[in-house]
Protein backbone atom coordinates (compact mmCIF):
# COMPACT_ATOMS: atom_id res chain seq x y z
CA UNK A 1 0.00 0.00 0.00
CA UNK A 2 1.31 3.49 -0.87
CA UNK A 3 2.60 5.61 2.02
CA UNK A 4 -0.16 8.08 1.33
CA UNK A 5 -2.95 5.61 1.95
CA UNK A 6 -4.50 5.45 5.39
CA UNK A 7 -7.50 3.67 6.82
CA UNK A 8 -10.25 5.92 8.15
CA UNK A 9 -13.45 5.01 9.99
CA UNK A 10 -16.97 6.05 9.09
CA UNK A 11 -18.38 8.16 11.93
CA UNK A 12 -21.79 9.16 10.59
CA UNK A 13 -24.01 8.76 7.55
CA UNK A 14 -26.92 10.84 6.21
CA UNK A 15 -29.14 9.46 3.46
CA UNK A 16 -30.75 12.25 1.42
CA UNK A 17 -32.44 10.11 -1.28
CA UNK A 18 -31.88 6.57 -2.61
CA UNK A 19 -29.26 8.16 -4.95
CA UNK A 20 -27.56 10.60 -2.62
CA UNK A 21 -25.88 10.34 0.75
CA UNK A 22 -23.25 12.05 2.89
CA UNK A 23 -20.87 10.63 5.45
CA UNK A 24 -18.11 11.67 7.79
CA UNK A 25 -14.88 9.81 8.49
CA UNK A 26 -12.09 10.23 11.00
CA UNK A 27 -9.41 12.71 9.91
CA UNK A 28 -5.78 11.56 10.08
CA UNK A 29 -3.91 14.03 12.28
CA UNK A 30 -1.32 14.97 9.70
CA UNK A 31 -3.79 15.40 6.84
CA UNK A 32 -4.08 19.00 5.60
CA UNK A 33 -5.99 20.42 2.65
CA UNK A 34 -7.30 23.67 1.21
CA UNK A 35 -11.04 24.31 0.90
CA UNK A 36 -12.16 23.19 -2.57
CA UNK A 37 -9.68 20.33 -2.93
CA UNK A 38 -10.47 16.65 -3.43
CA UNK A 39 -8.99 13.36 -2.27
CA UNK A 40 -9.22 9.76 -3.43
CA UNK A 41 -11.34 7.42 -1.36
CA UNK A 42 -10.89 3.68 -1.72
CA UNK A 43 -12.45 0.30 -1.07
CA UNK A 44 -10.57 -2.99 -1.08
CA UNK A 45 -11.67 -6.57 -1.84
CA UNK A 46 -11.90 -7.49 1.83
CA UNK A 47 -14.51 -4.80 2.23
CA UNK A 48 -16.45 -6.32 -0.64
CA UNK A 49 -16.30 -9.61 1.24
CA UNK A 50 -17.77 -7.82 4.22
CA UNK A 51 -20.56 -6.45 2.10
CA UNK A 52 -21.18 -9.92 0.66
CA UNK A 53 -21.39 -11.43 4.13
CA UNK A 54 -23.93 -8.82 5.00
CA UNK A 55 -25.89 -9.69 1.88
CA UNK A 56 -25.16 -6.25 0.53
CA UNK A 57 -22.99 -6.95 -2.52
CA UNK A 58 -23.51 -4.91 -5.67
CA UNK A 59 -23.81 -6.21 -9.21
CA UNK A 60 -21.34 -8.42 -11.13
CA UNK A 61 -19.56 -5.50 -12.78
CA UNK A 62 -18.85 -3.98 -9.41
CA UNK A 63 -17.80 -7.31 -7.90
CA UNK A 64 -15.35 -7.89 -10.71
CA UNK A 65 -13.89 -4.42 -10.38
CA UNK A 66 -13.41 -5.00 -6.67
CA UNK A 67 -10.87 -7.77 -7.16
CA UNK A 68 -8.41 -4.97 -6.50
CA UNK A 69 -8.51 -1.73 -4.52
CA UNK A 70 -10.68 0.81 -6.24
CA UNK A 71 -10.35 4.55 -5.73
CA UNK A 72 -12.50 7.51 -6.77
CA UNK A 73 -12.04 11.27 -6.49
CA UNK A 74 -14.15 12.96 -3.82
CA UNK A 75 -14.34 16.66 -2.98
CA UNK A 76 -14.15 17.43 0.71
CA UNK A 77 -17.31 19.04 2.09
CA UNK A 78 -15.99 19.86 5.54
CA UNK A 79 -13.83 22.85 6.35
CA UNK A 80 -10.03 22.61 6.63
CA UNK A 81 -10.52 23.33 10.36
CA UNK A 82 -12.93 20.46 11.12
CA UNK A 83 -11.91 17.44 13.17
CA UNK A 84 -13.67 15.07 10.77
CA UNK A 85 -13.82 14.80 6.97
CA UNK A 86 -17.21 14.97 5.28
CA UNK A 87 -18.16 13.77 1.78
CA UNK A 88 -21.32 14.00 -0.36
CA UNK A 89 -21.88 11.09 -2.75
CA UNK A 90 -24.03 10.09 -5.67
CA UNK A 91 -25.10 6.44 -6.03
CA UNK A 92 -24.67 5.14 -9.57
CA UNK A 93 -26.48 1.78 -9.41
CA UNK A 94 -24.00 0.04 -11.78
CA UNK A 95 -21.02 2.18 -10.78
CA UNK A 96 -18.07 0.08 -9.58
CA UNK A 97 -17.42 2.30 -6.57
CA UNK A 98 -20.70 3.81 -5.44
CA UNK A 99 -22.75 0.62 -5.86
CA UNK A 100 -20.56 -0.63 -2.95
CA UNK A 101 -19.96 2.61 -1.09
CA UNK A 102 -23.70 3.18 -0.69
CA UNK A 103 -23.79 0.28 1.82
CA UNK A 104 -21.22 1.69 4.19
CA UNK A 105 -22.24 2.00 7.79
CA UNK A 106 -20.94 3.76 10.88
CA UNK A 107 -17.87 1.85 12.10
CA UNK A 108 -16.84 0.62 8.62
CA UNK A 109 -13.36 1.37 7.29
CA UNK A 110 -12.49 3.21 4.08
CA UNK A 111 -9.16 3.92 2.41
CA UNK A 112 -8.08 7.54 2.11
CA UNK A 113 -5.25 8.72 -0.10
CA UNK A 114 -4.04 11.67 1.93
CA UNK A 115 -2.60 13.53 -1.05
CA UNK A 116 -5.04 16.41 -1.65
CA UNK A 117 -5.54 17.44 -5.29
CA UNK A 118 -7.21 20.17 -7.28
CA UNK A 119 -7.09 23.79 -8.23
CA UNK A 120 -10.70 24.74 -7.60
CA UNK A 121 -9.51 26.79 -4.64
CA UNK A 122 -9.74 30.49 -3.99
CA UNK A 123 -5.95 30.64 -3.66
CA UNK A 124 -5.72 30.31 -7.45
CA UNK A 125 -6.92 33.90 -7.86
CA UNK A 126 -4.36 36.69 -7.73
CA UNK A 127 -4.97 39.71 -5.55
CA UNK A 128 -6.50 42.25 -5.58
CA UNK A 129 -9.71 40.24 -5.48
CA UNK A 130 -12.88 41.56 -7.10
CA UNK A 131 -16.09 42.18 -5.10
CA UNK A 132 -18.21 39.20 -5.99
CA UNK A 133 -17.79 35.43 -5.88
CA UNK A 134 -20.27 33.29 -7.83
CA UNK A 135 -20.34 29.56 -6.98
CA UNK A 136 -22.38 27.54 -9.49
CA UNK A 137 -22.99 23.84 -8.81
CA UNK A 138 -25.02 20.90 -10.03
CA UNK A 139 -25.67 17.84 -7.86
CA UNK A 140 -22.76 16.69 -5.70
CA UNK A 141 -20.69 19.49 -7.28
CA UNK A 142 -21.90 21.51 -4.31
CA UNK A 143 -19.27 19.80 -2.12
CA UNK A 144 -16.19 22.02 -2.66
CA UNK A 145 -18.29 25.16 -2.24
CA UNK A 146 -19.56 24.01 1.16
CA UNK A 147 -15.96 23.66 2.28
CA UNK A 148 -15.09 27.18 1.04
CA UNK A 149 -18.18 28.60 2.75
CA UNK A 150 -17.01 27.18 6.08
CA UNK A 151 -13.79 29.17 5.85
CA UNK A 152 -14.15 32.67 7.32
CA UNK A 153 -11.53 33.98 4.90
CA UNK A 154 -13.93 33.41 1.98
CA UNK A 155 -16.48 35.60 3.74
CA UNK A 156 -13.91 38.28 4.49
CA UNK A 157 -12.44 38.37 0.99
CA UNK A 158 -15.63 39.06 -0.98
CA UNK A 159 -18.40 41.65 -0.70
CA UNK A 160 -21.04 39.24 -2.00
CA UNK A 161 -21.05 35.46 -2.42
CA UNK A 162 -23.72 34.01 -4.69
CA UNK A 163 -24.32 30.27 -4.43
CA UNK A 164 -26.56 28.85 -7.18
CA UNK A 165 -27.17 25.13 -6.79
CA UNK A 166 -29.13 23.05 -9.28
CA UNK A 167 -30.75 19.65 -8.70
CA UNK A 168 -33.44 17.71 -10.49
CA UNK A 169 -35.90 17.56 -7.58
CA UNK A 170 -36.36 19.22 -4.21
CA UNK A 171 -35.32 15.99 -2.42
CA UNK A 172 -32.03 16.04 -4.32
CA UNK A 173 -31.36 19.63 -3.26
CA UNK A 174 -29.38 18.49 -0.24
CA UNK A 175 -27.76 20.64 2.45
CA UNK A 176 -30.31 23.49 2.28
CA UNK A 177 -30.54 23.70 6.08
CA UNK A 178 -26.75 23.68 6.32
CA UNK A 179 -26.54 26.54 3.81
CA UNK A 180 -29.10 28.52 5.81
CA UNK A 181 -27.14 27.97 9.01
CA UNK A 182 -23.95 29.12 7.28
CA UNK A 183 -25.80 32.28 6.21
CA UNK A 184 -26.65 32.92 9.86
CA UNK A 185 -23.45 31.81 11.55
CA UNK A 186 -20.85 33.32 9.23
CA UNK A 187 -23.15 36.25 8.34
CA UNK A 188 -23.01 37.30 11.99
CA UNK A 189 -19.19 37.41 11.90
CA UNK A 190 -18.79 39.76 8.92
CA UNK A 191 -19.74 43.33 8.00
CA UNK A 192 -22.73 42.32 5.85
CA UNK A 193 -24.98 39.64 7.41
CA UNK A 194 -26.69 39.10 4.02
CA UNK A 195 -23.40 38.46 2.24
CA UNK A 196 -24.25 34.91 1.11
CA UNK A 197 -27.07 34.91 -1.45
CA UNK A 198 -28.40 31.39 -1.97
CA UNK A 199 -30.28 30.66 -5.20
CA UNK A 200 -31.81 27.18 -5.32
CA UNK A 201 -32.60 25.75 -8.77
CA UNK A 202 -34.89 22.73 -9.19
CA UNK A 203 -35.23 21.71 -12.82
CA UNK A 204 -37.74 18.87 -12.94
CA UNK A 205 -40.57 20.00 -10.67
CA UNK A 206 -42.01 23.36 -9.64
CA UNK A 207 -40.81 24.42 -6.19
CA UNK A 208 -41.76 27.66 -4.48
CA UNK A 209 -38.79 30.00 -4.20
CA UNK A 210 -36.58 27.99 -6.57
CA UNK A 211 -35.68 28.83 -10.17
CA UNK A 212 -36.53 26.13 -12.70
CA UNK A 213 -34.30 26.62 -15.76
CA UNK A 214 -30.74 25.37 -16.31
CA UNK A 215 -27.82 27.62 -15.33
CA UNK A 216 -26.72 28.72 -18.85
CA UNK A 217 -30.24 29.90 -19.73
CA UNK A 218 -30.61 31.68 -16.38
CA UNK A 219 -27.35 33.52 -16.98
CA UNK A 220 -28.02 34.35 -20.61
CA UNK A 221 -31.42 35.89 -20.00
CA UNK A 222 -30.20 37.60 -16.82
CA UNK A 223 -32.60 35.81 -14.43
CA UNK A 224 -29.79 34.70 -12.12
CA UNK A 225 -28.23 38.15 -11.96
CA UNK A 226 -31.65 39.66 -11.35
CA UNK A 227 -32.39 37.21 -8.53
CA UNK A 228 -29.04 38.02 -6.90
CA UNK A 229 -29.47 41.72 -7.71
CA UNK A 230 -25.83 41.73 -8.79
CA UNK A 231 -24.33 42.19 -12.26
CA UNK A 232 -21.78 39.78 -13.72
CA UNK A 233 -18.96 42.07 -14.64
CA UNK A 234 -15.45 41.22 -15.85
CA UNK A 235 -13.85 43.54 -13.28
CA UNK A 236 -15.90 42.60 -10.24
CA UNK A 237 -16.48 38.85 -10.56
CA UNK A 238 -14.95 35.47 -9.87
CA UNK A 239 -17.05 32.48 -11.00
CA UNK A 240 -16.48 28.85 -10.06
CA UNK A 241 -18.33 25.95 -11.73
CA UNK A 242 -18.48 22.40 -10.43
CA UNK A 243 -20.37 19.21 -11.26
CA UNK A 244 -21.86 17.83 -14.49
CA UNK A 245 -19.32 18.35 -17.33
CA UNK A 246 -22.05 19.37 -19.76
CA UNK A 247 -23.21 22.05 -17.35
CA UNK A 248 -19.60 23.17 -16.89
CA UNK A 249 -19.05 23.40 -20.64
CA UNK A 250 -22.36 25.09 -21.48
CA UNK A 251 -22.08 27.54 -18.59
CA UNK A 252 -18.46 28.38 -19.36
CA UNK A 253 -19.37 29.21 -22.96
CA UNK A 254 -22.31 31.31 -21.81
CA UNK A 255 -20.12 33.24 -19.39
CA UNK A 256 -17.65 33.89 -22.21
CA UNK A 257 -20.42 35.36 -24.37
CA UNK A 258 -21.19 37.62 -21.39
CA UNK A 259 -17.60 38.89 -21.52
CA UNK A 260 -15.94 36.86 -18.76
CA UNK A 261 -12.67 34.98 -19.34
CA UNK A 262 -11.09 31.76 -18.09
CA UNK A 263 -8.77 32.09 -15.12
CA UNK A 264 -5.20 31.29 -16.12
CA UNK A 265 -2.11 31.82 -13.99
CA UNK A 266 -4.18 33.67 -11.42
CA UNK A 267 -5.81 36.12 -13.84
CA UNK A 268 -9.33 35.95 -15.23
CA UNK A 269 -12.77 35.17 -13.90
CA UNK A 270 -13.77 31.55 -14.51
CA UNK A 271 -12.48 28.39 -12.75
CA UNK A 272 -14.03 24.95 -13.27
CA UNK A 273 -14.03 21.34 -12.08
CA UNK A 274 -15.67 18.43 -13.92
CA UNK A 275 -16.84 15.38 -11.97
CA UNK A 276 -16.77 12.91 -14.87
C1 LIG B 1 -12.26 16.04 -9.10
C2 LIG B 1 -13.44 15.13 -8.84
C3 LIG B 1 -14.16 15.26 -7.67
C4 LIG B 1 -15.26 14.45 -7.44
N1 LIG B 1 -15.98 14.61 -6.29
C5 LIG B 1 -17.11 13.87 -6.10
C6 LIG B 1 -17.93 14.08 -4.95
O1 LIG B 1 -17.62 14.89 -4.07
N2 LIG B 1 -19.04 13.33 -4.83
C7 LIG B 1 -19.41 12.41 -5.77
O2 LIG B 1 -20.44 11.75 -5.63
N3 LIG B 1 -18.65 12.20 -6.86
C8 LIG B 1 -17.51 12.90 -7.04
N4 LIG B 1 -16.75 12.67 -8.14
C9 LIG B 1 -17.12 11.55 -9.01
C10 LIG B 1 -16.52 10.26 -8.41
O3 LIG B 1 -15.12 10.28 -8.56
C11 LIG B 1 -17.07 8.97 -9.06
O4 LIG B 1 -17.22 9.13 -10.44
C12 LIG B 1 -18.41 8.61 -8.45
O5 LIG B 1 -18.18 8.25 -7.09
C13 LIG B 1 -19.06 7.40 -9.15
O6 LIG B 1 -18.19 6.30 -9.11
P1 LIG B 1 -18.65 4.90 -9.71
O7 LIG B 1 -17.46 4.01 -9.82
O8 LIG B 1 -19.81 4.39 -8.97
O9 LIG B 1 -19.14 5.28 -11.19
P2 LIG B 1 -18.20 5.79 -12.36
O10 LIG B 1 -17.88 4.64 -13.25
O11 LIG B 1 -17.06 6.58 -11.81
O12 LIG B 1 -19.18 6.80 -13.10
C14 LIG B 1 -20.20 6.31 -13.98
C15 LIG B 1 -21.06 7.48 -14.46
O13 LIG B 1 -21.82 8.01 -13.39
C16 LIG B 1 -22.04 9.41 -13.56
N5 LIG B 1 -21.47 10.10 -12.39
C17 LIG B 1 -20.26 9.90 -11.79
N6 LIG B 1 -20.12 10.71 -10.71
C18 LIG B 1 -21.26 11.41 -10.62
C19 LIG B 1 -21.72 12.39 -9.70
N7 LIG B 1 -20.97 12.80 -8.67
N8 LIG B 1 -22.95 12.92 -9.88
C20 LIG B 1 -23.73 12.50 -10.91
N9 LIG B 1 -23.36 11.58 -11.83
C21 LIG B 1 -22.14 11.03 -11.66
C22 LIG B 1 -21.34 9.78 -14.87
O14 LIG B 1 -22.30 9.72 -15.92
C23 LIG B 1 -20.30 8.70 -15.00
O15 LIG B 1 -19.89 8.51 -16.33
C24 LIG B 1 -15.63 13.47 -8.39
C25 LIG B 1 -14.88 13.32 -9.56
C26 LIG B 1 -13.81 14.15 -9.80
C27 LIG B 1 -13.02 13.98 -11.07
N1 LIG C 1 -34.33 9.22 -10.34
C1 LIG C 1 -33.29 8.73 -10.98
O1 LIG C 1 -33.34 7.73 -11.65
C2 LIG C 1 -32.03 9.46 -10.82
C3 LIG C 1 -32.04 10.55 -10.01
C4 LIG C 1 -30.87 11.24 -9.86
C5 LIG C 1 -29.73 10.80 -10.50
N2 LIG C 1 -29.74 9.74 -11.28
C6 LIG C 1 -28.51 9.33 -11.97
O2 LIG C 1 -27.44 10.08 -11.46
C7 LIG C 1 -26.68 10.69 -12.49
C8 LIG C 1 -26.75 12.18 -12.48
O3 LIG C 1 -27.57 12.67 -11.49
P1 LIG C 1 -27.61 14.13 -10.88
O4 LIG C 1 -29.06 14.48 -10.79
O5 LIG C 1 -26.79 14.23 -9.68
O6 LIG C 1 -26.86 15.03 -11.94
P2 LIG C 1 -27.33 15.81 -13.16
O7 LIG C 1 -27.99 14.98 -14.19
O8 LIG C 1 -26.11 16.54 -13.54
O9 LIG C 1 -28.46 16.85 -12.61
C9 LIG C 1 -28.21 17.82 -11.61
C10 LIG C 1 -28.65 19.18 -12.10
O10 LIG C 1 -27.80 19.57 -13.17
C11 LIG C 1 -28.61 20.04 -14.23
N3 LIG C 1 -27.94 19.91 -15.52
C12 LIG C 1 -27.67 18.77 -16.20
N4 LIG C 1 -27.04 19.07 -17.36
C13 LIG C 1 -26.93 20.42 -17.40
C14 LIG C 1 -26.40 21.33 -18.36
N5 LIG C 1 -25.84 20.92 -19.51
N6 LIG C 1 -26.45 22.64 -18.08
C15 LIG C 1 -27.01 23.07 -16.94
N7 LIG C 1 -27.55 22.28 -16.01
C16 LIG C 1 -27.51 20.95 -16.24
C17 LIG C 1 -29.85 19.19 -14.15
O11 LIG C 1 -30.87 19.79 -14.89
P3 LIG C 1 -31.90 18.88 -15.76
O12 LIG C 1 -32.90 18.36 -14.81
O13 LIG C 1 -32.46 19.90 -16.73
O14 LIG C 1 -31.12 17.80 -16.44
C18 LIG C 1 -30.07 19.18 -12.64
O15 LIG C 1 -30.71 20.36 -12.22
C19 LIG C 1 -27.19 10.13 -13.77
O16 LIG C 1 -26.33 9.10 -14.11
C20 LIG C 1 -28.58 9.65 -13.43
O17 LIG C 1 -28.92 8.51 -14.20
C21 LIG C 1 -30.87 9.05 -11.47
Amino acid sequence: MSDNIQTVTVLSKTTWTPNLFSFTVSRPESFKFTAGQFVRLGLNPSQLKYYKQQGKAGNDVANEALNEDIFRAYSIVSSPFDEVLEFFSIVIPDGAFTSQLQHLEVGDDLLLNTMPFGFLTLARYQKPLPKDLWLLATGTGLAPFLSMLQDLKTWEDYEHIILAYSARSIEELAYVKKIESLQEDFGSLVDNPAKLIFIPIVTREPVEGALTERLPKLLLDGTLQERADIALDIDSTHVMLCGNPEMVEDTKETLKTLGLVMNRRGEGNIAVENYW
Side-chain angles (χ1 to χ4, degrees):
M1 209 154 67
S2 139
D3 285 350
N4 290 330
I5 295 174
Q6 296 204 25
T7 299
V8 294
T9 305
V10 178
L11 302 173
S12 70
K13 180 178 177 183
T14 304
T15 301
W16 304 100
T17 71
N19 288 310
L20 283 176
F21 67 105
S22 296
F23 56 97
T24 61
V25 300
S26 51
R27 175 173 177 172
E29 249 177 47
S30 57
F31 173 59
K32 295 205 172 19
F33 67 97
T34 302
Q37 285 191 306
F38 66 92
V39 285
R40 296 189 192 285
L41 292 177
L43 292 166
N44 62 37
S46 68
Q47 286 167 311
L48 176 62
K49 231 179 274 161
Y50 168 79
Y51 294 130
K52 274 180 177 159
Q53 281 161 8
Q54 304 292 310
K56 294 186 293 191
N59 59 34
D60 290 343
V61 177
N63 289 350
E64 199 182 316
L66 279 172
N67 285 329
E68 54 189 38
D69 291 355
I70 175 166
F71 281 85
R72 287 288 184 272
Y74 270 79
S75 300
I76 304 167
V77 169
S78 41
S79 100
F81 311 105
D82 276 345
E83 282 178 14
V84 301
L85 298 173
E86 181 168 349
F87 300 97
F88 177 28
S89 184
I90 188 86
V91 177
I92 304 294
D94 55 1
F97 191 73
T98 54
S99 67
Q100 301 300 311
L101 188 77
Q102 66 172 323
H103 298 300
L104 64 75
E105 288 169 1
V106 172
D108 286 347
D109 286 342
L110 270 183
L111 301 176
L112 168 73
N113 185 327
T114 55
M115 179 71 83
F117 292 96
F119 299 103
L120 193 75
T121 65
L122 293 168
R124 67 176 289 139
Y125 290 116
Q126 263 171 25
K127 299 213 167 177
L129 300 174
K131 290 191 304 141
D132 306 323
L133 174 65
W134 293 72
L135 304 172
L136 311 182
T138 54
T140 53
L142 176 70
F145 300 150
L146 287 174
S147 186
M148 290 175 200
L149 288 170
Q150 294 176 85
D151 187 339
L152 184 60
K153 191 159 184 330
T154 310
W155 290 72
E156 290 171 342
D157 279 352
Y158 292 92
E159 213 167 289
H160 302 106
I161 306 167
I162 304 96
L163 173 66
Y165 164 33
S166 178
R168 296 176 180 194
S169 67
I170 188 69
E171 284 79 27
E172 289 174 6
L173 201 72
Y175 283 104
V176 171
K177 285 207 165 67
K178 172 86 179 177
I179 294 166
E180 288 168 354
S181 75
L182 292 175
Q183 283 178 309
E184 260 189 42
D185 297 348
F186 282 85
S188 69
L189 300 175
V190 290
D191 50 338
N192 171 12
K195 183 170 285 206
L196 174 59
I197 300 160
F198 174 46
I199 306 180
I201 302 169
V202 177
T203 44
R204 300 201 186 181
E205 60 185 16
V207 171
E208 210 189 316
L211 299 178
T212 53
E213 302 286 354
R214 286 180 163 193
L215 279 161
K217 181 166 189 298
L218 293 170
L219 286 163
L220 202 56
D221 68 15
T223 307
L224 205 67
Q225 299 88 312
E226 200 176 297
R227 172 68 82 95
D229 198 15
I230 293 174
L232 266 178
D233 184 279
I234 187 164
D235 295 322
S236 62
T237 309
H238 281 159
V239 194
M240 290 187 149
L241 313 176
C242 187
N244 184 319
E246 284 172 22
M247 176 284 286
V248 169
E249 183 58 27
D250 297 350
T251 309
K252 192 173 77 181
E253 291 309 313
T254 305
L255 290 168
K256 287 188 196 166
T257 66
L258 296 174
L260 274 62
V261 296
M262 292 303 290
N263 180 269
R264 295 202 203 290
R265 293 191 203 89
E267 288 187 21
N269 315 96
I270 311 166
V272 307
E273 188 156 83
N274 289 317
Y275 268 8
W276 63 92

